[in-house]
């Protein structure tokens, strides 16, 4: 007997697929309808296209980074068509006269070919390099925006961490690209990194041999860097940027305080069409600016530097700007070194370069968690801080920027010395002190300014803003009339709350029993006092009401008659 | 030809031949050498006397009446006319005031006056390297390969101090290697041979005259060629580039962002 044919068993779970609505876009025909029937994007789009994005210029800094990344991908593809990542030695025979017959690596020769013998090659090379500088710069500016507005607070800590990863990868991407042409500056830069690697205690030499496939410079490093530069790092960057943007959509964008804005809504324009038009337009502006810079401003003229040759150096060898602060730290570091047994510990390189970079990224990474721990603030935040309203954080940020700037300036100590005709040694000694002292000064000044601004805001809410009209009383005294501010403005100025400052939990409660549950240590209480203690509380409703009754002000002061004005002034 | 052979043994033949040879030499010489050319051999007593007058008036306060040096300036014994031609020709000497390094500036002296002082120093303080002739430093008619070789020599020997584009660089203690963008062929040559201040002397054993001509040719071609790729940002390398990326890139685009964020949606 023939075996019965196998019949598919019905699985326990059943999903009937019925098209939800036959034509989501109202019976759309044509290619769009065709695509929608198969992909179902219209329903998806309908929701997301109405997503609201708040409008503020500082929210576009991240977009500058995003768009320069896209420009980098586009121009980078063009460059890969001609670049040859090989360290094999060739004799240059291209059209740049002053290097004719010079021996160089294929990488260098092909970069020269791109510059002089490929149509549009130099333009694209220069756009690519400017875009790389802008990418890191915009990411950094964006980081500062996120930091100073407190956008990293719950629930966005993970996105901040992704951001820190993006920044470090952007730096590495830039550095690997800078090294590819194998010209004198890139070789010098690689040599610098070689030094950093070797300064790592104990494993340094081994790590150098691992990276360079033997002693510096070896024969493999360019092709390895090439792999990292065009595949590995852009790949990770792409993935991280996608995650970054997905999280922004998920969390929704933050917004500045203002009327009608709460922790539960987003006020702005819908993604489609308004925001899309703005963002799309902005992409072309960024692209356009980069093309202009690439077309009009020379960058990295490798033909002047010539091929890398360990016997050659140039005055004013500097890395690209984002590595400048590390270079500066190395330049001003005293030459400390110790010898233990047969090993050499190069503190003079390890501390200012490897350890400092590690410290920088670690501090950035842990900050959201440290701040949350200090303030004890576990709430979600979707309304941004105005930087002045978080005086200590803002002051810390400015101190950090100042420290970074001091290192950065040290990286150009030779250029400063020639430009301003001062002694190189004087610049170096000055900088050794400045990297420690300047941030402290910056901290104190910034905090004072923030607190003054807070006071000025409170004053404005209570007594109105200055009208610019000086009134002279019959007795000869002068006073400036104040105009009450609008309710909207008052709302924006008072929307922030004064955070509660944690007090240390006593070890024993008043009945002498050991306290249980979450405790606040003395250290944390002191840190909280330091971090929040000086903040000026925004005026309460009662205070505002009371102030209204005490100071009679007239919103339309400019129109009042002269004698009425005197009356007004008399009442003061 | 018979005429010449016949008169060959005449009494007047020898002096005449010498005279003609001298004339030809003189003619050649005046064509080949520039007018400012001076060297101890051709220095006349008048020229030396004129140089002495200038020297005693402007230089001796620092270098001593006999070039023996003072607390204000080093000895000039054995420096030779080339050093004087370089120092005065680039406006370094006479030094205006004591400072870490005498800066180059337009010189107040005519070519004749400089030549006179140079001749005086050469003749009186013991000779040294002499003012070069143009065939030693002129880089005319060099092939690309030779220019490129000059570039390699420059990058090996000079760019550590003078920067890769010859735009100058800082040295410790307030000293600096100056920009070479406006330096004449002769002064580049003289600088290499006399090694002013912190700069090492590049003697003929290190760099032959051919090498120096290649370096000079490279520098002059580099500085004369049009800038490829747009505006030259001061030759400061990545420092200048980073500056512009921030100012024009982040700064400029932020201005656009401010404008964009201000624009509301009209039809809503
Ligand atoms: C390297 C490339 C980067 C790209 C392409 C990028 C892109 C963006 C974009 C387009 C936005 C939304 C618009 C805005 O708020 O500006 C955003 C938001 C954000 N980014 Fe980045 N970013 C990068 C790096 C960073 C870095 C270095 C950090 C911080 C360490 C960071 C942290 C954040 C956070 C926390 C938000 C949410 C801000 C909010 O909702 O207010 N990002 N990013």
């Amino acid at each position: 007997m023939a075996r019965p044919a196998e019949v598919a068993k019905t699985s326990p779970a059943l999903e009937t697929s019925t098209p939800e609505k036959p034509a989501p876009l109202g019976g759309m025909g044509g290619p769009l309808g065709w695509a929608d029937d198969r992909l179902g994007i219209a329903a998806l789009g309908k929701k997301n296209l109405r997503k609201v994005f708040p409008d503020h210029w500082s929210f576009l800094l991240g977009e500058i980074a995003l768009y320069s990344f896209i420009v980098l991908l586009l121009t980078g593809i063009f460059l890969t068509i001609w670049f040859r990542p090989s360290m094999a030695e060739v004799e240059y025979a291209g059209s740049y006269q002053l290097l004719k017959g010079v021996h160089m690596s294929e990488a260098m020769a092909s970069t020269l070919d791109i510059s002089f013998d490929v149509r549009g090659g130099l333009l694209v090379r220069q756009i690519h390099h400017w875009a790389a500088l802008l990418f890191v710069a915009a990411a950094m500016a964006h980081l500062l925006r996120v930091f100073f507005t407190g956008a990293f607070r719950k629930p966005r800590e993970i996105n901040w961490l992704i951001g820190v990863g993006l920044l470090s990868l952007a730096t590495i991407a830039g550095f690997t690209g800078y090294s590819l042409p194998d010209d004198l500056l890139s070789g010098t830069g690689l040599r610098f990194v070689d030094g950093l690697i070797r300064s790592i205690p104990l494993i340094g030499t081994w790590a150098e041999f691992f990276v360079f496939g033997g002693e510096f410079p070896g024969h493999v490093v360019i092709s390895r860097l090439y792999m990292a530069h065009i595949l590995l790092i852009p790949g990770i960057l792409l993935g991280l940027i996608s995650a970054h943007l997905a999280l922004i959509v998920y969390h929704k964008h933050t917004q500045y305080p203002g009327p009608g804005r709460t922790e539960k809504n987003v006020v702005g324009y819908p993604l489609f069409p308004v925001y899309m038009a703005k963002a799309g337009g902005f992409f072309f502006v960024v692209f356009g600016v980069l093309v202009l810079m690439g077309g009009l401003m020379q960058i990295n003229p490798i033909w002047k530097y010539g091929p890398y040759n360990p016997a050659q150096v140039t005055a004013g060898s500097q890395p690209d700007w984002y590595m400048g602060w590390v270079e500066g730290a190395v330049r001003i570091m005293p030459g400390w070194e110790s010898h233990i047994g047969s090993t050499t510990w190069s503190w003079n390189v390890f501390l200012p370069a490897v350890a400092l970079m590690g410290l920088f990224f670690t501090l950035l990474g842990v900050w959201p968690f440290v701040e949350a721990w200090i303030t004890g603030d576990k709430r979600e935040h979707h309304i941004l801080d105005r930087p002045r309203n978080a005086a200590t954080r803002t002051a810390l940020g400015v101190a950090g920027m100042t420290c970074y700037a001091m290192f950065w300036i040290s990286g150009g100590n030779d250029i400063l010395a020639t430009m301003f005709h001062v002694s190189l040694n004087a610049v170096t000694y000055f900088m050794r002190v400045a990297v420690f002292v300047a941030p402290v000064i910056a901290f104190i000044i910034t905090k004072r300014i923030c607190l003054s601004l807070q006071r000025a805001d409170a004053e404005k809410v209570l007594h109105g803003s200055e009208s610019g009209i000086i009134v002279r009383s019959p007795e000869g005294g002068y006073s400036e009339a104040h105009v009450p501010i609008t309710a909207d403005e008052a709302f924006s100025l008072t929307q922030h709350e004064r955070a509660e400052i944690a007090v240390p939990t006593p070890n024993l409660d008043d009945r002498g029993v050991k306290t249980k549950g979450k405790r606040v240590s003395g250290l944390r209480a002191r840190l909280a006092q330091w971090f929040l203690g000086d903040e000026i509380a925004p005026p309460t409703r009662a205070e505002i009401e009371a102030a209204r009754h005490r100071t009679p002000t007239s919103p339309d002061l400019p129109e009042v008659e002269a004698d009425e004005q005197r009356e007004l002034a008399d009442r003061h | 030809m018979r005429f010449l052979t016949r008169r060959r043994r005449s009494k007047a033949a020898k002096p005449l031949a010498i005279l003609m040879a001298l004339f030809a030499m003189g003619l050649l010489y005046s064509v080949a050498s520039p007018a400012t050319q001076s060297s101890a051999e051709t220095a006349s007593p008048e020229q030396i006397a004129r140089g002495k007058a200038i020297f005693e008036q402007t230089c001796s306060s620092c270098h001593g009446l006999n070039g023996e040096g003072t607390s204000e300036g080093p000895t000039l014994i054995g420096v030779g006319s080339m050093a004087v031609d370089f120092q005065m020709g680039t406006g370094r000497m006479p030094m205006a005031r004591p400072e870490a390094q005498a800066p180059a500036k337009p010189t107040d002296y005519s070519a004749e006056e400089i030549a006179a002082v140079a001749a005086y120093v050469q003749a009186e303080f013991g000779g040294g390297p002499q003012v070069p002739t143009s065939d030693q430093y002129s880089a005319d008619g060099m092939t690309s390969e030779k220019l490129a070789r000059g570039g390699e020599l420059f990058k090996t020997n000079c760019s550590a101090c003078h920067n890769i584009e010859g735009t100058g660089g800082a040295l410790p203690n307030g000293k600096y290697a100056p920009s070479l963008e406006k330096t004449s062929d002769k002064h580049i040559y003289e600088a290499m041979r006399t090694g002013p201040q912190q700069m090492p002397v590049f003697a003929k054993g290190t760099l032959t005259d051919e090498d120096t001509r290649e370096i000079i040719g490279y520098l002059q071609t580099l500085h004369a060629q049009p800038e490829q790729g747009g505006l030259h940002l001061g030759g400061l390398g990545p420092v200048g580039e980073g500056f512009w990326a921030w100012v024009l890139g982040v700064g400029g685009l932020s201005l656009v962002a401010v404008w964009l964020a201000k624009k509301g949606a009209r039809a809503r």
Side-chain angles (χ1 to χ4, degrees):
Chain A
M1 198 176 93
R3 266 182 51 180
E6 197 98 26
V7 179
K9 293 197 183 76
T10 40
S11 28
L14 179 80
E15 189 187 75
T16 38
S17 108
T18 40
E20 298 141 27
K21 263 176 236 145
L25 287 190
M28 188 169 51
L32 272 183
W34 186 90
D36 185 48
D37 287 346
R38 281 148 190 87
L39 302 170
I41 37 181
L44 196 76
K46 208 168 184 179
K47 175 157 171 278
N48 285 312
L49 288 178
R50 302 303 300 172
K51 200 137 190 115
V52 167
F53 209 86
D55 226 359
H56 190 269
W57 69 269
S58 68
F59 299 161
L60 293 175
L61 291 169
E63 277 178 33
I64 301 181
L66 181 64
Y67 299 149
S68 20
F69 182 68
I70 295 174
V71 174
L72 280 170
L73 290 182
L74 294 177
T75 49
I77 292 170
F78 179 92
L79 295 176
T80 56
I81 301 177
W82 287 280
F83 182 75
R84 288 191 301 277
S86 150
M87 290 173 94
E89 194 174 310
V90 293
E91 203 181 296
Y92 179 68
S95 46
Y96 183 67
Q97 187 198 11
L98 288 180
L99 287 174
K100 251 201 183 114
V102 172
H103 287 251
M104 56 182 69
S105 67
E106 245 187 288
M108 172 80 184
S110 61
T111 315
L112 286 170
D113 288 344
I114 292 174
S115 307
F116 295 110
D117 297 300
V118 171
R119 192 172 301 269
L122 183 56
L123 176 66
V124 176
R125 243 199 81 219
Q126 299 207 123
I127 297 177
H128 192 74
H129 203 135
W130 280 119
L133 295 191
L134 182 63
F135 177 50
V136 191
M140 191 84 105
H142 167 61
L143 177 149
L144 292 174
R145 190 294 275 169
V146 170
F147 179 84
F148 283 117
T149 57
F152 55 80
R153 291 172 299 171
K154 191 178 170 187
R156 295 185 177 73
E157 299 99 325
I158 309 276
N159 221 11
W160 168 267
L161 283 178
I162 294 178
V164 174
L166 280 174
L167 185 70
S168 57
L169 279 168
T171 312
I172 300 176
F175 182 79
T176 49
Y178 182 78
S179 307
L180 286 180
D182 202 21
D183 61 282
L184 188 54
L185 272 194
S186 75
T188 311
L190 261 187
R191 185 59 161 169
F192 180 79
V193 167
D194 175 49
L196 302 197
I197 296 177
R198 280 201 287 178
S199 77
I200 302 172
L202 301 178
I203 62 153
T205 313
W206 178 84
E208 181 206 10
F209 273 61
F210 178 72
V211 171
F212 291 91
E215 208 162 328
F216 178 87
H219 296 285
V220 295
V221 69
I222 296 284
S223 41
R224 285 185 180 176
L225 286 172
Y226 187 62
M227 183 281 291
H229 184 72
I230 71 159
L231 184 71
L232 185 64
I233 297 169
I236 306 178
L237 271 174
L238 210 56
L240 282 182
I241 289 179
S242 312
H244 199 68
L245 298 182
L247 275 180
I248 292 161
V249 172
Y250 174 68
H251 290 139
K252 301 189 175 56
H253 204 284
T254 53
Q255 53 191 341
Y256 283 100
R261 299 173 182 194
T262 70
E263 292 284 7
K264 298 211 166 56
N265 68 7
V266 187
V267 179
Y269 291 118
L271 186 61
F272 185 83
V274 181
Y275 205 77
M276 206 94 117
K278 285 192 181 201
F282 197 45
F283 169 72
F284 288 107
V285 173
V286 173
F287 204 162
V289 166
L290 283 172
V291 172
L292 281 179
M293 289 176 84
L296 300 176
M297 295 158 69
Q298 184 188 69
I299 186 166
N300 201 21
I302 51 152
W303 54 93
K304 291 186 183 163
Y305 303 145
Y308 179 56
N309 174 342
Q312 299 175 348
V313 262
T314 159
S317 305
Q318 258 93 9
D320 270 349
W321 75 263
Y322 41 82
M323 288 297 281
W325 69 289
V326 182
E327 164 99 13
V330 173
R331 284 190 184 199
I332 60 173
M333 181 77 187
W336 296 342
E337 205 174 82
S338 45
H339 301 268
I340 303 171
S342 62
T343 57
T344 304
W345 299 62
S346 303
W347 303 117
N348 50 353
V349 181
F350 182 73
L351 290 183
V354 186
L356 187 69
M357 263 198 288
L359 184 73
F360 175 72
F361 284 107
T362 311
L363 280 182
L364 277 183
V366 299
W367 177 253
F369 307 99
V370 172
E371 187 185 305
W373 176 73
I374 294 179
T375 57
D377 185 352
K378 302 283 186 283
R379 291 167 304 170
E380 289 208 351
H381 292 278
H382 301 283
I383 298 277
L384 294 170
D385 277 333
R386 298 170 78 217
R388 67 181 63 171
N389 289 336
T392 311
R393 182 205 297 141
T394 304
L396 275 177
V398 174
M401 284 168 71
T402 312
C403 185
Y404 186 96
M406 291 300 128
F407 278 124
W408 206 31
I409 292 175
S410 316
N413 59 355
D414 55 336
I415 293 197
L416 284 182
T418 24
M419 280 208 344
F420 298 107
H421 299 285
V422 285
S423 157
L424 184 63
N425 303 45
V427 176
T428 304
Y429 292 132
F430 178 80
M431 281 304 164
R432 280 184 188 166
V433 179
V435 288
F436 294 106
V437 175
V440 176
I441 299 176
F443 179 88
I444 296 172
I445 294 179
T446 313
K447 186 148 180 188
R448 287 300 120 200
I449 291 178
C450 286
L451 293 178
S452 306
L453 287 172
Q454 287 185 14
R455 268 187 217 104
D457 281 350
E459 175 71 20
K460 208 169 174 186
V461 172
L462 291 177
H463 306 298
S465 65
E466 289 153 1
S467 62
I469 295 172
I470 308 289
V471 182
R472 199 179 119 194
S473 68
E475 295 80 40
Y478 290 91
S479 60
E480 183 177 9
H482 284 222
V483 194
I485 56 176
T486 60
D488 283 359
E489 193 180 351
F491 185 86
S492 311
L493 292 180
T494 51
Q495 198 177 11
H496 62 288
E497 294 160 15
R498 191 171 197 271
E500 259 174 59
I501 302 171
V503 281
T505 327
N507 272 336
L508 304 173
D509 67 15
D510 30 334
R511 275 175 294 165
V513 182
K514 234 175 161 227
T515 44
K516 282 199 212 109
K518 277 202 113 179
R519 304 172 41 81
V520 176
S521 68
L523 169 71
R524 212 194 96 188
R526 253 173 289 136
L527 278 173
Q529 179 63 33
W530 165 76
F531 196 80
L532 299 167
D534 299 326
E535 306 279 321
I536 315 288
T540 60
R541 179 189 292 264
E543 281 170 335
I544 297 173
E545 300 278 295
R548 279 271 152 73
H549 291 301
R550 244 181 294 118
T551 29
T553 42
S554 152
D556 40 20
L557 199 54
E559 269 87 40
V560 279
E561 300 287 339
D563 38 3
E564 267 181 79
Q565 211 163 357
R566 189 171 310 129
E567 242 177 69
L568 264 175
D570 280 345
R571 269 190 273 160
H572 268 285
Chain B
M1 277 299 142
R2 296 264 309 276
F3 157 80
L4 275 179
T5 2
R6 237 188 305 128
R7 303 278 158 105
R8 202 173 52 186
R9 298 196 186 276
S10 131
K11 269 216 172 99
K14 244 187 203 158
L16 247 170
I18 292 174
L19 225 110
M20 271 164 69
L22 272 178
F23 181 73
M25 282 260 293
L27 208 71
L28 255 176
Y29 187 79
S30 64
V31 170
S33 70
T36 60
Q37 165 68 35
S38 87
S39 72
E41 281 95 20
T42 55
S44 61
E46 297 81 60
Q47 196 187 20
I48 292 182
R50 189 159 171 229
K52 182 174 159 80
I54 299 174
F55 186 87
E56 284 175 354
Q57 196 190 342
T58 47
C59 320
S60 60
S61 58
C62 296
H63 291 290
L65 273 174
N66 300 310
E68 73 280 10
T70 69
S71 57
E72 302 295 315
T75 171
L76 298 186
I77 293 172
V79 297
S81 58
M82 194 198 284
V84 175
D85 190 58
F86 173 78
Q87 297 283 348
M88 289 183 76
T90 57
R92 285 182 166 77
M93 290 295 141
M95 207 166 165
R97 63 193 133 89
E99 51 189 324
Q101 183 172 322
K105 56 184 181 302
T107 179
D108 296 334
Y109 294 87
S110 68
E112 286 78 39
E113 286 169 322
I114 296 176
V117 179
Y120 170 70
V121 170
Q122 175 75 16
E124 295 298 314
F125 304 154
Q130 294 182 23
V131 181
T133 55
S134 70
D135 56 321
Q136 283 175 285
Y137 55 76
S138 156
D140 291 340
M142 282 211 161
T143 62
S144 299
E145 279 76 11
K146 279 187 173 291
L147 292 178
R149 195 170 164 269
E152 289 297 286
L153 287 167
F154 179 77
K155 286 166 204 158
T156 311
N157 294 298
C158 322
S159 60
C161 298
H162 286 285
N163 176 302
I164 203 84
E165 300 185 31
T167 49
L171 295 173
N173 298 319
K175 310 213 166 164
Y176 58 92
S179 159
L180 309 180
E181 286 160 306
K182 299 207 167 57
T183 315
S184 69
D185 294 359
K186 183 168 77 160
H187 291 147
I188 300 180
Y189 180 86
E190 292 176 339
M192 285 188 267
R193 293 296 187 225
T194 62
Q197 281 247 8
Q198 301 293 92
M199 179 159 157
V201 174
F202 293 91
K204 293 199 184 184
T206 320
L207 293 175
T208 64
D209 273 357
E210 189 58 22
D211 294 339
T212 56
R213 286 180 53 226
E214 286 169 1
I215 293 180
I216 293 167
Y218 173 77
L219 279 175
Q220 304 298 24
T221 319
L222 180 70
H223 294 144
Q225 76 184 1
E227 282 301 335
Q228 274 102 354
L231 289 179
H232 180 62
L233 304 178
L236 293 181
V239 173
E241 292 159 7
F243 176 79
W244 289 114
W246 272 94
V247 172
L248 283 184
V250 177
L253 287 170
S254 294
L255 288 182
V256 178
V258 170
W259 173 76
L260 257 182
K262 274 231 175 78
K263 287 270 159 214
R266 287 259 170 69
R268 206 155 50 103

